[in-house]
Amino acid sequence: MFSVEETIAGTEAAQIPKQRGESLLETAVRYAEERHWDVFPGTWLEAVDGVQRCSCGDTACAVPGAHPSREDWATQATGSATVARRMWQKQPAASILLPTGRTFDAISVAETAGFLALARMERMELTLGPVTLTPDRRMQFFVLPGASVKLPELVRKLGWTPSSLDLVALGEGAYVAAPPTRYGSSGAVQWACRPTPANRWLPDAEELISPLAYACGRDR
């Protein structure tokens, strides 16, 4: 089975250092520079009476430290490493968020279904894009843009109704949190399949939907 990784690979010639030793700023810049992903800074965690709380001020925040800090976040997102560096210099603790619907969409499933799908994909020798694992036990499979539009029909062709599966496509207007962003005290987002030179070219949703739908059906 695929192992959970916390490092990301860089160019063909070099390995990017482990994220555990990097700042959020350095990591955000690398995403923009080496993967050409748009990035934008989200909220961050602040210690209040010994408790990590979200900078948004909501004590009941569902994803503390891991959501947009402003309504116009979509216009703030940038693929420029220089601009990314400038934004995180202003708030070094800000989470790293990646808008979907641009360079990639993401298919989100429950963690249990995600690991089952990964094992099945390995047996099928499918080429995967990056996959994140979040502290709220979700996995996001990066695929080519357009998945959010095609997914309902792809699921129907496999004999399922879209509403019967815990399988959601994140496209334009949505976002994912990128490693090593933290969700309050729950932990950090990790890579289930890290970005490497080999998976720079993302799969189409149609290539992954069969094992994902099967795993979600088993996980119901």
Side-chain angles (χ1 to χ4, degrees), residues 43-45 52-55 61-67 182-185:
T43 52
W44 56 92
L45 296 173
Q52 294 290 324
R53 299 195 186 281
C54 187
S55 62
C61 182
V63 282
H67 64 85
R182 297 191 65 83
Y183 282 31
S185 60

Side-chain angles (χ1 to χ4, degrees), residues 180-202:
T181 294
R182 297 191 65 83
Y183 282 31
S185 60
S186 300
V189 182
Q190 302 177 64
W191 289 115
C193 290
R194 61 189 177 91
T196 67
N199 65 18
R200 185 174 296 277
W201 300 104
L202 299 176

Side-chain angles (χ1 to χ4, degrees), residues 8 10 15-17 22 25-36 81:
I8 60 175
Q15 178 83 10
I16 288 182
E22 289 190 329
L25 183 156
E26 292 170 327
T27 306
V29 167
R30 288 177 186 273
Y31 287 151
E33 192 170 58
E34 298 182 4
R35 297 299 293 198
H36 304 296

Side-chain angles (χ1 to χ4, degrees), residues 35-37 99-108 127-131 140-152 154 168-172 198-209 212:
R35 297 299 293 198
H36 304 296
W37 289 338
T100 51
R102 299 187 183 188
T103 52
F104 65 87
D105 278 6
I107 300 177
S108 176
T127 300
L128 293 178
V131 182
Q140 279 99 28
F141 290 73
F142 289 22
V143 294
L144 289 173
S148 59
V149 176
K150 297 189 292 185
L151 195 67
L154 291 175
V168 180
L170 304 173
E172 187 175 358
N199 65 18
R200 185 174 296 277
W201 300 104
L202 299 176
D204 189 276
E206 192 166 0
E207 299 174 56
L208 305 186
I209 191 61
L212 283 171

Side-chain angles (χ1 to χ4, degrees), residues 10 16-17 23 39 41 51 57 65 99 112 129 131 133 135 146 157 160 173 199 205 218:
I16 288 182
S23 67
V39 298
V51 178
T112 49
V131 182
L133 174 63
K157 285 182 178 179
W160 299 93
N199 65 18
R218 286 279 303 272

Side-chain angles (χ1 to χ4, degrees), residues 9-194:
T11 62
E12 296 286 344
Q15 178 83 10
I16 288 182
K18 290 184 178 181
Q19 285 186 349
R20 189 169 294 167
E22 289 190 329
S23 67
L24 288 159
L25 183 156
E26 292 170 327
T27 306
V29 167
R30 288 177 186 273
Y31 287 151
E33 192 170 58
E34 298 182 4
R35 297 299 293 198
H36 304 296
W37 289 338
D38 283 3
V39 298
F40 67 98
T43 52
W44 56 92
L45 296 173
E46 298 176 331
V48 179
D49 297 327
V51 178
Q52 294 290 324
R53 299 195 186 281
C54 187
S55 62
C56 71
D58 182 359
T59 56
C61 182
V63 282
H67 64 85
S69 60
R70 45 196 281 184
E71 292 185 2
D72 64 342
W73 62 264
T75 61
Q76 185 188 24
T78 179
S80 165
T82 301
V83 175
R85 182 175 298 278
R86 190 181 308 134
M87 289 194 294
W88 265 271
Q89 283 175 336
K90 292 179 181 178
Q91 181 44 258
S95 53
I96 303 174
L97 304 180
L98 312 175
T100 51
R102 299 187 183 188
T103 52
F104 65 87
D105 278 6
I107 300 177
S108 176
V109 300
E111 175 188 302
T112 49
F115 277 117
L116 177 61
L118 282 176
R120 195 171 179 84
M121 290 172 186
E122 184 177 33
R123 291 194 297 271
M124 295 169 69
E125 298 184 346
L126 294 178
T127 300
L128 293 178
V131 182
T132 61
L133 174 63
T134 65
D136 61 353
R137 308 191 68 159
R138 302 290 298 181
M139 294 178 77
Q140 279 99 28
F141 290 73
F142 289 22
V143 294
L144 289 173
S148 59
V149 176
K150 297 189 292 185
L151 195 67
E153 183 57 28
L154 291 175
V155 170
R156 290 189 190 95
K157 285 182 178 179
L158 292 172
W160 299 93
T161 58
S163 60
S164 67
L165 299 179
D166 182 10
L167 191 154
V168 180
L170 304 173
E172 187 175 358
Y175 63 89
V176 297
T181 294
R182 297 191 65 83
Y183 282 31
S185 60
S186 300
V189 182
Q190 302 177 64
W191 289 115
C193 290
R194 61 189 177 91

